[in-house]
Amino acid sequence: MAIITFAAIYIGSYEVSLKIFELSGKKKIREIDHIRSRMELGRDTFHSGVIGYDLVDELCDTLLDFVKIMQGYKVKEYRAFAGNVVGEAKNRFFILDQIKTKTGLDFGTLSNSERRFLTYKGVAAKEGFDEMTKDSAAVIDVGGGSLQITLFMGGSVVTTQHLAIGNMRLMEMLSGIDQNVQHLEYQMEELVDKELAVFLAQYMKPGEEIKNVILMGAFITEIMRKIKKSSENKNMVEADKFISFLKKLDKKSVEEISEELNLSNENDMLVLPSVILYAKLTQAMHAKNIWFPDVDISDAIAYDYAHTHKIVHPLHDFDEDILSAAKNMSLRYMSYSQHIDALAEMSVLLFDAMKKVHGMGKRERLLLKVAAILHDCGKYISLANSAMCACQVIRATEIIGLTQLEREIVASVVLYHSTPLDPYEELADRMDSHSYMVVAKLAAIMKAANAMDRSHRQKFKNVKAVIKNTQLVITIESMDDISLEKGRLAAKAGDFEGIFGLKPVIREKRVYD
């Protein structure tokens, strides 16, 4: 295939970056240039919630320079995104409009979950990732406003958690305190310890160790280069060696740390909170090894484009990560059971039988399965109002691999599989009309599937489903009385028929001992 020159632009908390890549079937993804411009937009957003227009003008000038560079490289395709630093700003719509007007660039904004998952995809695409996570591992992505920890046990995702303690946010939280460097370090360590203590108590057993920490963030390249001057694997270092080096840096001034790491800015105040965060995180995990995959958000944007356009093929099963995270979440709320397995299986069976009718694809099938796995987690909070509680829990929980909209779809399917579907006008602030139709269809399918295991006793065997004229005929084998299930399915048939134009009916084959 022809080589595509691709550009990835990202607006972060303290830096605006442009990376140029060559994408091809042979060479796959090759970086050919990287331009970075320091711009501390996060100071405005995290302090006042608004980015000042002097900074917006400076940002537009920088982006215009990027456009000229892209033209010089004859870039054919580009993707441009802004992170939470713009997404959280009260004047974000005006900022994006100014960028479009002055530069012609179309920018999207990435929610925290979207940005972290993009980076995670870029890391998981690296050779050796599955080997690194097969026992126990933590993927830690440190940004300006926050950090994200994705925990693996036995090769499966346990949880993904977002902590609001990025390096720039730490500096902003302590910006009003007039004190010496040593005291500032102490205050930072207290803040980090406080946030980490909750995560550790919730997700790690006392004495539990993480074999590998996969670390991303500012200054990691410079730190690893200094520690690993010569080695076969420059991306791996023993955790003890890593922590020992960081502790030595911790005793130095910002200027001395900058000189030690050979930074271009000798007075970069973000280096101090970054060093403290890396040391605390590594110690808290009781890590054995630190792996630096050398991937940033721009690499991830390029990989996502190449993956979407089938230029590269993933080495890692991201769908399995989503299902693993959902199952662990279900277990956490004490809801995982044989009924959930039965509901997930039945929901998918009905979905597959109706492909020509519902018009949905592989991704919607995955969302249906996730909704089935999580549909009972609200009972941990309230038996009487479990569907609404489950909906709220899902909305509030990061699930690695799902976008914010997809999480809203899953939450809504869980809610409306047991309650009447609200009119679109009441949900328009949460989703578009297409997503609303996906919710309606998936909720109807799960409602029918749930009716067939109403007793939670898994009475059916060898279930098959096929469309015949205006009916969805579900043929089952059973040794038990299924009057309850037949009655519940008949009661739910109206909603199902209204959405799909099909009436679900059970055809029973009696099985005797």
Side-chain angles (χ1 to χ4, degrees):
M1 65 172 288
I3 294 173
I4 297 173
T5 309
F6 177 83
I9 306 173
Y10 187 71
I11 301 173
S13 300
Y14 50 81
E15 185 178 271
V16 184
S17 67
L18 166 69
K19 268 193 183 182
I20 310 291
F21 299 89
E22 283 184 349
L23 310 180
S24 70
K26 236 181 183 183
K27 296 181 180 178
K28 297 188 177 179
I29 302 174
R30 185 172 77 89
E31 179 187 324
I32 58 177
D33 204 352
H34 186 193
I35 300 95
R36 295 184 291 180
S37 178
R38 185 59 176 261
M39 197 172 300
E40 297 188 355
L41 302 172
R43 290 192 183 276
D44 280 17
T45 299
F46 303 145
H47 180 70
S48 65
V50 174
I51 298 176
Y53 277 95
D54 53 342
L55 267 180
V56 175
D57 283 340
E58 186 182 342
L59 174 61
C60 289
D61 289 342
T62 298
L63 293 174
L64 274 172
D65 290 338
F66 284 1
V67 169
K68 292 174 184 175
I69 293 169
M70 290 162 63
Q71 290 169 346
Y73 277 106
K74 294 182 170 51
V75 167
K76 293 181 181 179
E77 296 286 343
Y78 79 92
R79 293 291 181 272
F81 293 103
N84 269 0
V85 68
V86 173
E88 290 183 8
K90 295 173 185 174
N91 59 335
R92 61 187 176 279
F93 297 117
F94 304 109
I95 295 169
L96 295 174
D97 181 68
Q98 284 293 303
I99 291 173
K100 174 66 177 174
T101 302
K102 293 180 179 180
T103 71
L105 293 169
D106 283 308
F107 266 83
T109 56
L110 295 175
S111 67
N112 177 69
S113 57
E114 291 166 337
R115 180 247 189 269
R116 302 297 184 178
F117 181 57
L118 269 182
T119 307
Y120 172 73
K121 280 180 74 173
V123 173
K126 302 284 277 190
E127 206 167 321
F129 177 83
D130 285 343
E131 181 67 23
M132 294 289 295
T133 57
K134 74 176 183 180
D135 294 322
S136 61
V139 180
I140 304 177
D141 183 7
V142 179
S146 62
L147 63 87
Q148 193 96 352
I149 303 176
T150 302
L151 198 61
F152 285 79
M153 291 292 177
S156 298
V157 173
V158 174
T159 188
T160 296
Q161 293 296 321
H162 172 234
L163 283 68
I165 48 171
N167 50 23
M168 178 165 280
R169 198 182 293 269
L170 270 178
M171 287 300 298
E172 278 303 304
M173 289 166 76
L174 298 171
S175 61
I177 302 174
D178 185 18
Q179 52 196 323
N180 59 38
V181 171
Q182 286 74 25
H183 195 209
L184 189 64
E185 291 172 11
Y186 177 75
Q187 295 291 332
M188 284 185 185
E189 288 176 355
E190 275 199 333
L191 285 171
V192 174
D193 284 341
K194 172 181 170 291
E195 294 290 335
L196 281 179
V198 178
F199 174 83
L200 296 172
Q202 292 278 331
Y203 296 101
M204 289 185 67
K205 299 171 185 175
E208 194 168 37
E209 296 179 344
I210 296 297
K211 185 175 180 180
N212 298 311
V213 166
I214 301 168
L215 199 53
M216 296 166 282
F219 312 111
I220 281 290
T221 304
E222 292 81 2
I223 291 169
M224 292 295 283
R225 188 186 297 131
K226 191 70 179 178
I227 297 174
K228 307 279 289 183
K229 289 182 179 177
S230 61
S231 171
E232 287 184 12
N233 187 353
K234 293 184 179 180
N235 294 74
M236 177 81 83
V237 67
E238 297 88 351
D240 290 344
K241 192 173 183 180
F242 183 75
I243 293 167
S244 176
F245 179 73
L246 292 180
K247 283 184 175 178
K248 288 178 184 176
L249 291 183
D250 199 20
K251 293 179 173 63
K252 298 182 178 184
S253 67
V254 171
E255 292 80 3
E256 289 171 333
I257 297 173
S258 300
E259 185 179 350
E260 176 83 8
L261 298 179
N262 196 28
L263 302 181
S264 56
N265 181 2
E266 63 182 24
N267 192 31
D268 196 332
M269 292 301 293
L270 291 182
V271 72
L272 183 60
S274 298
V275 166
I276 290 169
L277 277 169
Y278 297 146
K280 285 289 182 182
L281 287 163
T282 309
Q283 285 177 304
M285 298 291 167
H286 302 287
K288 299 294 184 185
N289 303 301
I290 307 298
W291 186 44
F292 160 59
D294 197 15
V295 170
D296 63 18
I297 183 62
S298 297
D299 299 304
I301 292 168
Y303 172 79
D304 187 64
Y305 176 88
H307 175 211
T308 303
H309 290 78
K310 299 186 180 353
I311 298 169
V312 297
H313 301 286
L315 301 172
H316 184 77
D317 189 343
F318 297 105
D319 288 356
E320 190 53 44
D321 286 342
I322 295 169
L323 294 172
S324 174
K327 287 174 185 175
N328 276 287
M329 183 176 163
S330 183
L331 283 168
R332 185 166 186 77
Y333 288 95
M334 299 181 183
S335 65
Y336 200 73
S337 65
Q338 288 181 315
H339 164 65
I340 286 173
D341 282 335
L343 177 60
E345 186 178 340
M346 182 67 72
S347 297
V348 167
L349 184 143
L350 298 183
F351 182 97
D352 291 344
M354 298 168 59
K355 282 180 182 177
K356 292 182 180 179
V357 175
H358 58 56
M360 295 182 289
K362 181 182 174 184
R363 192 66 180 179
E364 289 81 7
R365 186 181 191 270
L366 176 67
L367 297 181
L368 175 62
K369 201 168 183 180
V370 172
I373 292 169
L374 296 177
H375 83 285
D376 262 356
C377 66
K379 289 180 179 177
Y380 183 86
I381 300 167
S382 169
L383 292 174
N385 197 22
S386 63
M388 177 54 76
C389 290
C391 176
Q392 291 170 343
V393 165
I394 295 165
R395 282 174 178 162
T397 304
E398 294 276 1
I399 301 173
I400 189 73
L402 296 188
T403 66
Q404 195 166 325
L405 176 59
E406 287 175 331
R407 208 162 71 229
E408 179 60 39
I409 289 171
V410 170
S412 298
V413 171
V414 168
L415 176 62
Y416 294 121
H417 94 283
S418 62
T419 60
L421 180 67
D422 288 319
Y424 173 64
E425 290 72 22
E426 295 184 23
L427 302 176
D429 61 331
R430 292 186 175 275
M431 64 186 75
D432 57 23
S433 58
H434 172 75
S435 301
Y436 177 79
M437 285 304 301
V438 170
V439 168
K441 291 175 182 179
L442 295 185
I445 292 171
M446 197 163 90
K447 189 180 293 186
N450 202 23
M452 295 178 65
D453 191 31
R454 188 64 182 139
S455 65
H456 290 205
R457 289 173 57 191
Q458 298 82 56
K459 298 176 182 178
F460 302 160
K461 293 180 181 178
N462 299 324
V463 183
K464 296 178 182 178
V466 64
I467 295 173
K468 291 184 178 179
N469 298 320
T470 58
Q471 291 184 330
L472 176 64
V473 180
I474 305 163
T475 305
I476 60 98
E477 293 179 2
S478 179
M479 295 173 57
D480 301 308
D481 179 13
I482 61 168
S483 300
L484 174 62
E485 283 73 18
K486 281 185 172 180
R488 294 303 300 170
L489 184 61
K492 305 296 182 186
D495 291 342
F496 193 94
E497 195 170 4
I499 292 171
F500 298 113
L502 294 173
K503 182 178 181 179
V505 295
I506 294 176
R507 294 284 182 264
E508 181 183 2
K509 288 183 179 179
R510 296 296 295 172
V511 179
Y512 303 95
D513 288 331

